[in-house]
Protein backbone atom coordinates (compact mmCIF):
# COMPACT_ATOMS: atom_id res chain seq x y z
CA UNK A 1 0.00 0.00 0.00
CA UNK A 2 0.88 3.68 -0.14
CA UNK A 3 2.53 4.73 3.13
CA UNK A 4 3.87 8.25 3.46
CA UNK A 5 4.90 8.48 -0.18
CA UNK A 6 7.60 5.85 0.37
CA UNK A 7 7.79 2.29 -0.83
CA UNK A 8 7.65 0.06 2.22
CA UNK A 9 10.31 -2.58 2.58
CA UNK A 10 9.43 -5.71 4.49
CA UNK A 11 11.32 -8.57 6.01
CA UNK A 12 10.16 -11.63 7.93
CA UNK A 13 10.63 -11.19 11.68
CA UNK A 14 10.69 -13.75 14.43
CA UNK A 15 7.44 -14.29 16.28
CA UNK A 16 3.91 -14.07 14.98
CA UNK A 17 0.67 -12.90 16.47
CA UNK A 18 2.46 -9.97 18.16
CA UNK A 19 0.89 -6.57 18.68
CA UNK A 20 1.84 -3.91 16.13
CA UNK A 21 4.42 -1.37 17.29
CA UNK A 22 5.71 1.70 15.47
CA UNK A 23 9.14 3.36 15.79
CA UNK A 24 9.75 6.88 14.49
CA UNK A 25 12.72 9.15 13.79
CA UNK A 26 10.84 12.44 13.57
CA UNK A 27 11.78 15.19 11.12
CA UNK A 28 10.82 16.76 7.80
CA UNK A 29 12.01 13.43 6.43
CA UNK A 30 10.68 10.99 9.01
CA UNK A 31 12.10 7.50 9.21
CA UNK A 32 9.68 4.81 10.35
CA UNK A 33 9.72 1.11 11.12
CA UNK A 34 6.81 -1.08 12.18
CA UNK A 35 6.47 -4.62 13.45
CA UNK A 36 3.13 -5.95 12.30
CA UNK A 37 2.45 -9.61 12.90
CA UNK A 38 5.42 -11.53 11.49
CA UNK A 39 6.76 -8.68 9.36
CA UNK A 40 8.93 -5.63 9.83
CA UNK A 41 8.01 -2.77 7.50
CA UNK A 42 10.10 0.38 7.13
CA UNK A 43 10.47 3.48 5.01
CA UNK A 44 10.64 7.26 4.98
CA UNK A 45 7.86 9.85 4.81
CA UNK A 46 8.24 13.48 3.72
CA UNK A 47 6.35 16.25 5.55
CA UNK A 48 7.63 19.37 3.80
CA UNK A 49 5.01 22.04 3.07
CA UNK A 50 4.49 23.01 -0.56
CA UNK A 51 5.69 26.34 -1.89
CA UNK A 52 2.31 28.02 -1.50
CA UNK A 53 1.19 26.20 1.66
CA UNK A 54 1.22 27.34 5.26
CA UNK A 55 3.56 25.74 7.76
CA UNK A 56 0.68 23.98 9.46
CA UNK A 57 0.22 21.69 6.46
CA UNK A 58 3.28 19.73 7.60
CA UNK A 59 1.49 18.68 10.78
CA UNK A 60 -1.82 18.04 9.04
CA UNK A 61 -0.07 15.68 6.61
CA UNK A 62 1.66 13.98 9.53
CA UNK A 63 -1.69 13.43 11.28
CA UNK A 64 -3.18 11.91 8.13
CA UNK A 65 -0.13 9.70 7.73
CA UNK A 66 -0.48 8.45 11.31
CA UNK A 67 -4.11 7.59 10.56
CA UNK A 68 -2.91 5.48 7.60
CA UNK A 69 -0.35 3.71 9.76
CA UNK A 70 -2.94 2.87 12.39
CA UNK A 71 -5.27 0.86 10.16
CA UNK A 72 -4.51 -1.99 12.58
CA UNK A 73 -4.42 -1.39 16.36
CA UNK A 74 -1.06 -0.19 17.70
CA UNK A 75 0.22 -1.45 21.05
CA UNK A 76 2.60 1.48 21.32
CA UNK A 77 4.62 4.13 19.49
CA UNK A 78 8.29 4.78 20.24
CA UNK A 79 10.21 7.82 19.06
CA UNK A 80 13.85 8.81 18.98
CA UNK A 81 14.25 11.52 21.60
CA UNK A 82 16.56 14.25 20.37
CA UNK A 83 17.92 16.50 23.12
CA UNK A 84 19.79 18.94 20.90
CA UNK A 85 19.43 20.25 17.35
CA UNK A 86 22.14 22.16 15.55
CA UNK A 87 19.58 24.12 13.50
CA UNK A 88 16.75 26.09 15.08
CA UNK A 89 14.33 25.24 12.27
CA UNK A 90 14.94 21.52 12.78
CA UNK A 91 14.24 21.92 16.50
CA UNK A 92 10.94 23.67 15.77
CA UNK A 93 9.87 20.99 13.30
CA UNK A 94 10.78 18.20 15.72
CA UNK A 95 8.85 19.86 18.54
CA UNK A 96 5.81 20.37 16.33
CA UNK A 97 5.82 16.78 15.11
CA UNK A 98 6.28 15.45 18.65
CA UNK A 99 3.38 17.60 19.93
CA UNK A 100 1.20 16.40 17.04
CA UNK A 101 2.15 12.77 17.69
CA UNK A 102 1.58 12.83 21.45
CA UNK A 103 -1.79 14.58 21.07
CA UNK A 104 -2.78 12.03 18.39
CA UNK A 105 -1.82 9.19 20.74
CA UNK A 106 -3.73 10.73 23.66
CA UNK A 107 -6.93 11.00 21.62
CA UNK A 108 -6.71 7.31 20.70
CA UNK A 109 -5.39 5.95 24.00
CA UNK A 110 -2.18 4.67 22.38
CA UNK A 111 0.88 4.48 24.69
CA UNK A 112 4.01 6.31 23.56
CA UNK A 113 7.57 6.86 24.79
CA UNK A 114 10.86 8.40 23.72
CA UNK A 115 14.26 6.73 23.78
CA UNK A 116 17.53 8.72 23.94
CA UNK A 117 19.56 8.78 20.73
CA UNK A 118 22.66 7.44 22.48
CA UNK A 119 20.77 4.41 23.78
CA UNK A 120 19.59 3.50 20.28
CA UNK A 121 23.01 3.98 18.69
CA UNK A 122 24.81 1.99 21.37
CA UNK A 123 22.41 -0.94 20.99
CA UNK A 124 22.75 -0.92 17.20
CA UNK A 125 26.51 -0.40 16.87
CA UNK A 126 28.10 -0.68 20.32
CA UNK A 127 28.90 3.05 20.26
CA UNK A 128 26.61 5.76 21.67
CA UNK A 129 28.01 8.36 19.26
CA UNK A 130 27.86 6.30 16.05
CA UNK A 131 27.63 8.37 12.86
CA UNK A 132 25.01 8.10 10.11
CA UNK A 133 27.08 5.72 8.03
CA UNK A 134 27.50 3.33 10.94
CA UNK A 135 23.75 3.29 11.56
CA UNK A 136 23.03 2.51 7.91
CA UNK A 137 25.66 -0.24 7.98
CA UNK A 138 24.07 -1.73 11.11
CA UNK A 139 20.67 -1.87 9.38
CA UNK A 140 22.21 -3.54 6.33
CA UNK A 141 23.93 -6.09 8.56
CA UNK A 142 20.47 -7.13 9.74
CA UNK A 143 19.38 -7.67 6.13
CA UNK A 144 17.56 -4.39 5.49
CA UNK A 145 18.18 -1.83 2.75
CA UNK A 146 17.39 1.57 4.31
CA UNK A 147 16.86 4.49 1.96
CA UNK A 148 18.80 6.79 4.31
CA UNK A 149 19.94 7.26 7.89
CA UNK A 150 16.44 8.27 9.00
CA UNK A 151 15.04 4.88 8.06
CA UNK A 152 18.12 3.18 9.55
CA UNK A 153 17.58 5.00 12.85
CA UNK A 154 13.91 3.95 12.96
CA UNK A 155 14.91 0.32 12.31
CA UNK A 156 17.50 0.51 15.10
CA UNK A 157 14.89 1.90 17.49
CA UNK A 158 12.40 -0.83 16.57
CA UNK A 159 14.98 -3.54 17.19
CA UNK A 160 15.86 -1.94 20.54
CA UNK A 161 12.20 -2.16 21.53
CA UNK A 162 11.82 -5.76 20.33
CA UNK A 163 15.02 -6.96 21.97
CA UNK A 164 14.99 -5.06 25.27
CA UNK A 165 11.35 -4.40 26.12
CA UNK A 166 8.46 -6.78 26.82
CA UNK A 167 6.81 -7.41 23.45
CA UNK A 168 3.20 -7.54 24.52
CA UNK A 169 3.20 -6.24 28.09
CA UNK A 170 3.71 -2.52 28.47
CA UNK A 171 4.38 -2.45 32.20
CA UNK A 172 7.99 -2.49 33.28
CA UNK A 173 9.58 -2.69 36.72
CA UNK A 174 12.24 -0.17 37.67
CA UNK A 175 12.95 3.52 37.42
CA UNK A 176 11.77 5.60 34.48
CA UNK A 177 15.06 6.32 32.83
CA UNK A 178 14.23 9.39 30.84
CA UNK A 179 12.50 12.69 31.06
CA UNK A 180 10.17 12.63 28.05
CA UNK A 181 7.88 10.13 29.72
CA UNK A 182 7.66 12.06 32.97
CA UNK A 183 7.11 15.31 31.12
CA UNK A 184 4.36 13.71 29.06
CA UNK A 185 2.65 12.45 32.20
CA UNK A 186 2.76 15.91 33.74
CA UNK A 187 1.85 18.00 30.72
CA UNK A 188 -0.63 15.76 28.94
CA UNK A 189 -3.34 14.82 31.43
CA UNK A 190 -6.89 13.89 30.65
CA UNK A 191 -9.83 14.85 32.77
CA UNK A 192 -11.29 11.87 34.61
CA UNK A 193 -14.69 11.42 36.32
CA UNK A 194 -15.69 14.37 38.44
CA UNK A 195 -12.95 16.51 36.99
CA UNK A 196 -10.16 14.43 38.57
CA UNK A 197 -7.02 14.22 36.50
CA UNK A 198 -6.06 10.86 35.08
CA UNK A 199 -2.46 10.20 34.02
CA UNK A 200 -1.86 9.54 30.35
CA UNK A 201 -0.72 6.17 29.05
CA UNK A 202 2.85 7.23 28.39
CA UNK A 203 5.08 4.19 28.67
CA UNK A 204 7.57 3.60 31.45
CA UNK A 205 10.72 2.27 29.84
CA UNK A 206 14.21 1.11 30.70
CA UNK A 207 16.88 3.11 28.91
CA UNK A 208 20.42 4.18 29.55
CA UNK A 209 20.48 7.94 29.09
CA UNK A 210 24.23 8.04 28.85
CA UNK A 211 24.84 9.04 25.25
CA UNK A 212 27.13 11.45 23.45
CA UNK A 213 27.57 14.75 25.23
Amino acid sequence: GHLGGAAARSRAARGRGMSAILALDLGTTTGWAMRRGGLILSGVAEFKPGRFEGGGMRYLRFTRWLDEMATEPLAGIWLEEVRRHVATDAAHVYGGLMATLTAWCELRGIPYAGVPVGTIKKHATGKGNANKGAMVAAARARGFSPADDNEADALALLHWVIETQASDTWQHVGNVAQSLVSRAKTCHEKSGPGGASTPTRALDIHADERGPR
Side-chain angles (χ1 to χ4, degrees):
H2 181 74
L3 293 173
R9 284 162 287 279
S10 65
R11 174 179 171 82
R14 289 179 298 177
R16 295 188 178 275
M18 298 178 178
S19 301
I21 52 177
L22 177 64
L24 298 173
D25 177 21
L26 296 176
T28 297
T29 301
T30 290
W32 63 271
M34 174 184 281
R35 186 196 68 188
R36 178 181 290 167
L39 295 176
I40 288 180
L41 311 171
S42 67
V44 291
E46 293 283 346
F47 301 111
K48 186 176 181 179
R51 182 178 177 184
F52 300 106
E53 293 177 336
M57 286 300 297
R58 181 196 314 273
Y59 308 110
L60 181 58
R61 284 204 182 93
F62 181 49
T63 299
R64 290 172 177 169
W65 180 82
L66 287 170
D67 288 338
E68 289 183 27
M69 299 297 282
T71 52
E72 295 182 19
L74 291 171
I77 295 180
W78 302 77
L79 63 146
E80 183 177 274
E81 183 185 5
V82 180
R83 300 290 178 82
R84 294 176 299 175
H85 281 95
V86 175
T88 303
D89 286 348
H92 289 170
V93 170
Y94 175 85
L97 291 172
M98 187 173 72
T100 302
L101 172 66
T102 54
W104 183 89
C105 288
E106 293 290 350
L107 285 171
R108 291 156 183 80
I110 298 173
Y112 56 90
V115 182
V117 174
T119 298
I120 301 166
K121 290 186 174 185
K122 186 173 183 180
H123 182 262
T125 68
K127 295 179 62 178
N129 61 348
N131 61 25
K132 295 179 180 180
M135 295 299 290
V136 171
R140 288 176 177 163
R142 288 183 177 269
F144 295 92
S145 300
D148 59 17
D149 60 288
N150 301 297
E151 183 177 352
D153 286 354
L155 282 163
L157 173 54
L158 182 66
H159 282 99
W160 179 88
V161 175
I162 293 171
E163 294 167 14
T164 70
Q165 307 297 298
S167 297
D168 298 293
T169 303
W170 300 93
Q171 295 180 0
H172 308 291
V173 179
N175 295 326
V176 177
Q178 59 133 320
S179 59
L180 176 62
V181 174
S182 60
R183 289 203 303 272
K185 286 183 175 178
T186 302
C187 299
H188 300 283
E189 291 188 341
K190 294 182 284 188
S191 178
S197 62
T198 303
T200 68
R201 300 178 63 203
L203 301 177
D204 289 352
I205 66 172
H206 296 156
D208 180 0
E209 275 194 292
R210 292 175 296 177
R213 298 297 182 191

